[in-house]
Amino acid sequence: MTTTGRTDDGLRLIPFRGLRYVPERVGSLAAVTSPPYDVVVRPDGLLHLESADPYNIVRLILPQAATPRARHQQAALTLDDWLSEGVLAPDPEPALYVYEQHDGGLLQRGLIGALALSEPSEGVVLPHEDVMPHVVEDRADLMRTTAAHFEPLLLTYHGDTGANGSTPTGAGAVIERTARREPLLATTTEDGYSHRLWAVTDPADLAEIQSDLAHHQAVIADGHHRWATYLRLRSEQSAPGPWDFGLVLLVDTARYPLRVRAIHRLLHRLPVSDALAAVAETDAFRVRTLAVPLPDALDVLAEASSAGNAFLLAGDGHFHLLDRPDPDLLARTVRTDRPQAWRELDATVLHSTLLDHVWRIPDAPEDIMYIHDTAAAVEQAERRGGTAVLMHPVREDVVRDLARQGVTMPRKSTSFGPKPATGLVLRSLTVN
C-alpha cells in the first residue's frame, strides 16, 4: 500500500517452522485441503470435505462435537494424533513460504509468514470490516486450545515497483526468483486452482524481504475475525512470545491484483413474500420481478448498482430487484457520523435501512447466514423458505480509501480472492 517513510514501523514478517502434511500419509494433498472455515457452507460442504479424506483439515478448523468446548478439545486431540502418527510434520528449519495460486486466467503469488501483530491505531495493518464478537470468541478458544494457527489471513499491500510487468525489487524479486525453483509441493484442488509452495530460508533473501516490507502497511483482505482473535490472544499473554505473531499470506496487489466479490445474506426466518410486502408497505425501494436466469439477473443487478444501492431477493423461484431507495428513508436510517462513501455502501444500506428498519431482523446467527457462493445462497433460500439477498461487489479502491481513514465497513461486506487454501502450511505455537 503506501510507504511509511521509516524502517521500524511497517510490516515485520518472520520465518517459522511450518507444519505440513506428509504426502505419503494422505490420499492426496488436494483431498486434505479446504476453503477457509467461513467459506465452507454447512452442512453440505462440511460433510463433503470430511468424506474426501480422513485427514482433511476441516477436522481441525471445524471440528464436530456436542459443545463448543468439546469441539475445540477434539481439534487439539486430532492435531496431537496427526503429529504423533506422522501425518503432519514440522519443516526442518524456519522459513517464509512463497505461495502461488493459478487458475488459467489468474496468477497470484505472495508470502506466508508469521506477522508481528499491531493495533489498527498503529497504522501498520488496517482492517476494513467490523467483526462479530461470538465468532472471535469461538476462534480464540480454538486457537487457545490447539496452540496453533491453521489458516493464514489474506493481507494486501502495494509494492513500490514491479507492477505492469516491470522488474520487481525487494520482496517481489525474492518471490519471482524463488518461483523458478522446484516447489516443496504442488497440487490442484477441485475448484480448478493449482497451488505451489516454496520455502525461503536463505539469510540474504530473508533480509531483503524484511527490509522491503518494513516500509509498508497492509489492508486485511480476508480474515478480520482471525486478526481480532490474534490480538485478543496476544493481550492474554504476560510475556513476549509466539502469540505476538499471526499466520498471514501477504500479497502485493500492485503486481497481483485480487478479485473482489460480494458476500450474500440468507435470511432464515423471512419468506420472500413477507420481505416484498414490507418493502412495498414502507415504499423503501422500487421493486421489479425479473423473469431471467441467475446470470442475467446478476447482470441487471450490476447495471442497477452503477446508479445507486440495489439488491436482488431470491428464494421463491424468481428474482426481485430492489433499487432506487427513498432518499428520505436513507437519511433517517443511516448514521451521519461516517464518510459519505461509507453511507452509500450497499452493506450499510442493507443493514441500516432494510434489516434494521424495514424487516427488523437482528444480525444474529439464527437469523442471518453469510454465504459467498451466489448459487448456493439461492438454492438454500429456496430449500429453507427464506430470502437470499444477493449483493454486488464493492470496488477495491473504496475499501482501501475507507481503511486508510480508519473507517470499518459493515461485517461481511467484501470477499477478496482467491483465498489461500487451508491445509498447505500450518503454524504451531509450540514448535520452535
Side-chain angles (χ1 to χ4, degrees):
M1 204 169 122
T2 59
T3 57
T4 61
R6 301 195 300 275
T7 60
D8 60 351
D9 62 352
L11 300 166
R12 183 184 172 211
L13 194 69
I14 68 168
F16 69 102
R17 291 180 65 195
L19 294 183
R20 295 191 296 112
Y21 280 99
V22 177
E24 295 78 14
R25 298 301 310 273
V26 297
S28 72
L29 289 174
V32 296
T33 63
S34 164
Y37 78 96
D38 58 336
V39 179
V40 178
V41 180
R42 303 171 75 174
D44 298 350
L46 178 63
L47 295 176
H48 172 72
L49 291 166
E50 286 183 331
S51 62
D53 190 284
Y55 299 114
N56 189 282
I57 192 68
V58 78
R59 298 180 186 276
L60 298 181
I61 63 173
L62 290 172
Q64 298 302 292
T67 65
R69 185 61 184 156
R71 288 197 295 270
H72 303 149
Q73 291 174 337
Q74 178 62 46
L77 292 172
T78 300
L79 177 61
D80 289 344
D81 288 345
W82 290 0
L83 287 168
S84 64
E85 295 170 13
V87 174
L88 289 170
D91 281 335
E93 58 181 320
L96 295 179
Y97 297 88
V98 171
Y99 175 48
E100 176 189 278
Q101 293 165 278
H102 186 230
D103 73 346
L106 178 144
L107 174 68
Q108 177 177 287
R109 289 175 180 151
L111 286 167
I112 295 177
L115 184 70
L117 304 182
S118 61
E119 297 291 342
S121 60
E122 299 176 60
V124 179
V125 175
L126 303 175
H128 71 265
E129 287 186 358
D130 295 330
V131 297
M132 294 176 274
H134 75 277
V135 177
V136 175
E137 174 63 33
D138 179 77
R139 293 294 102 181
D141 193 48
L142 176 65
M143 292 184 196
R144 192 185 297 113
T145 305
T146 60
H149 295 157
F150 294 135
E151 43 191 337
L153 283 68
L154 176 59
L155 305 184
T156 72
Y157 75 104
H158 266 199
D160 299 317
T161 60
N164 301 320
S166 59
T167 302
T169 61
V174 176
I175 289 172
E176 300 308 313
R177 289 198 304 268
T178 302
R180 293 195 289 267
R181 305 196 321 244
E182 189 72 17
L184 288 175
L185 64 84
T187 189
T188 300
T189 46
E190 65 178 10
D191 59 4
Y193 276 94
S194 63
H195 308 262
R196 296 198 294 172
L197 192 76
W198 297 263
V200 179
T201 58
D202 180 81
D205 286 342
L206 295 173
E208 187 172 357
I209 291 170
Q210 292 234 358
S211 176
D212 182 15
L213 295 183
H215 294 274
H216 294 281
Q217 60 181 179
V219 171
I220 301 174
D222 185 70
H224 286 81
H225 289 91
R226 281 166 282 164
W227 183 260
T229 299
Y230 290 165
L231 295 179
R232 174 171 179 166
L233 293 175
R234 180 186 66 169
S235 70
E236 297 175 359
Q237 310 307 309
S238 58
W243 295 97
D244 295 332
F245 299 83
L247 183 63
V248 305
L249 166 62
L250 190 62
V251 175
D252 176 4
T253 52
R255 189 164 184 85
Y256 296 109
L258 298 180
R259 293 170 175 162
V260 186
R261 293 192 169 105
I263 302 177
H264 311 295
R265 276 67 168 160
L266 173 60
L267 311 180
H268 296 294
R269 303 179 182 180
L270 182 69
V272 174
S273 58
D274 291 351
L276 294 173
V279 171
E281 181 179 350
T282 57
D283 201 24
F285 285 77
R286 181 178 71 167
V287 179
R288 288 181 287 162
T289 299
L290 308 176
V292 297
L294 176 58
D296 294 340
L298 293 174
D299 288 341
V300 175
L301 174 63
E303 182 178 356
S305 295
S306 66
N309 302 116
F311 311 94
L312 274 181
L313 303 190
D316 63 350
H318 303 283
F319 298 105
H320 308 274
L321 179 70
L322 275 57
D323 67 352
R324 299 186 184 180
D326 175 18
D328 292 337
L329 180 61
L330 296 184
R332 295 196 308 271
T333 56
V334 177
R335 57 191 296 179
T336 59
D337 60 345
R338 296 291 180 92
Q340 188 66 25
W342 183 91
R343 290 171 51 81
E344 294 175 351
L345 291 170
D346 285 342
T348 297
V349 171
L350 171 62
H351 284 263
S352 299
T353 303
L354 281 170
L355 292 174
D356 291 350
H357 180 78
V358 177
W359 295 329
R360 302 189 183 279
I361 294 177
D363 192 356
E366 56 270 22
D367 290 288
I368 303 177
M369 176 185 289
Y370 294 86
I371 301 180
H372 294 72
D373 184 85
T374 308
V378 174
E379 187 274 331
Q380 290 208 33
E382 292 178 346
R383 179 153 51 92
R384 301 182 182 192
T387 295
V389 182
L390 306 184
M391 312 277 286
H392 187 68
V394 182
R395 298 196 319 273
E396 183 178 358
D397 63 304
V398 173
V399 175
R400 290 186 177 279
D401 287 346
L402 288 173
R404 289 190 184 107
Q405 297 176 59
V407 177
T408 54
M409 300 163 61
R411 48 185 169 264
K412 302 297 183 181
S413 295
T414 58
S415 176
F416 284 86
K419 304 178 191 301
T422 299
L424 295 181
V425 60
L426 290 60
R427 177 179 179 238
S428 169
L429 281 76
T430 60
V431 173
N432 298 319

